[in-house]
Structure formats: C-alpha cells, structure tokens
C-alpha cells in the first residue's frame, strides 16, 4: 500500500520486553487511502494537462511562425521571378542592339536605333532600380 498509514510510531524505550506481546500494525482506514489515491491521481492528471497545454501552445506559435515564413518566401520568390523576367528582356534588347550594330549601318542610323532601344530599357526598370544601376540616358 502507498500513502498514509495509521500505524503509531512507538519509541524503543516503550516497547514491551517480552516477545509474546508484539504490536501488530493496524491497516489504514479506507477513507484515508482513498483520499490519498484520489489526490495522487488528480495531481498526476493536472501535471499531464499542464504539460499538454504547454506543448499545444508551443506548437501553435511554431505553426504561426512557419506560416509567416512561407508567406515571406512566396513574396520573395515572386520578386525574384519578376527580376528574372526583366533581365531576360534586357538580354533580348542587348542581343537586338548587338545585331543592329553589326549589320553595318551608318553611325547616325546606328545611334538612333541604339537610343530607341536604350529608351525601351528605361521602361523595364523602376526609378529606384535606374538609380541603383546608375542608369543615365544621354539625349
């Protein structure tokens, strides 16, 4: 049995000296044992409930954090895809410019074509991006 016992503690000096007269422990009262067991179970389940609550709230905050991370990564991916599209268009314009120059046109005609194509490059970038790459169109 676990829990409280109803056996009295007797000091050694007061123990009887003859071997026939020994005190036998009395079993605990049923009410005391039940109260101990119920209290023990309640405390155990309360601890389990607190532990589970901590786990759930921790997991919930992790899920929220991961959802924010996914949203940020999707936004970043979209921006990167836009930059890839812009740079692909720039590459296409530069290839066209290279072909136009290599055809053997007059200098004035080649400059006009280049200026037109450089102007089309301006349309691909925002004002901030043009500042960042220090882009200046000479008219």
């Amino acid at each position: 049995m676990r829990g409280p016992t109803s056996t009295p503690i007797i000091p050694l000096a007061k123990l009887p000296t003859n071997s026939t007269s020994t005190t036998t422990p009395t079993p605990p009262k049923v009410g005391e044992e039940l109260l101990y067991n119920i209290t023990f179970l309640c405390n155990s389940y309360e601890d389990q409930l607190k532990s589970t609550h901590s786990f759930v709230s921790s997991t919930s905050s992790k899920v929220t954090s991961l959802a924010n991370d996914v949203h940020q990564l999707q936004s970043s991916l979209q921006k990167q895809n836009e930059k890839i599209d812009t740079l692909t268009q720039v590459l296409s314009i530069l290839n066209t410019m290279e072909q136009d120059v290599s055809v053997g046109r007059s200098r004035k005609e080649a400059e006009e074509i280049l200026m037109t194509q450089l102007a089309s490059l301006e349309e691909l970038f925002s004002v901030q991006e043009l500042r960042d790459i220090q882009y200046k169109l000479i008219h």
Side-chain angles (χ1 to χ4, degrees), residues 88-102:
T88 303
Q89 291 174 359
V90 167
L91 181 61
S92 173
I93 291 172
L94 291 175
N95 286 335
T96 304
M97 290 170 68
E98 184 180 14
Q99 290 172 359
D100 287 345
V101 168
S102 66

Side-chain angles (χ1 to χ4, degrees), residues 17 28 49 56 60 69 89 107-108 115 119:
T17 54
L49 185 62
V56 167
S60 175
D69 289 348
Q89 291 174 359
R107 182 180 172 126
K108 182 168 174 98
M115 293 304 280

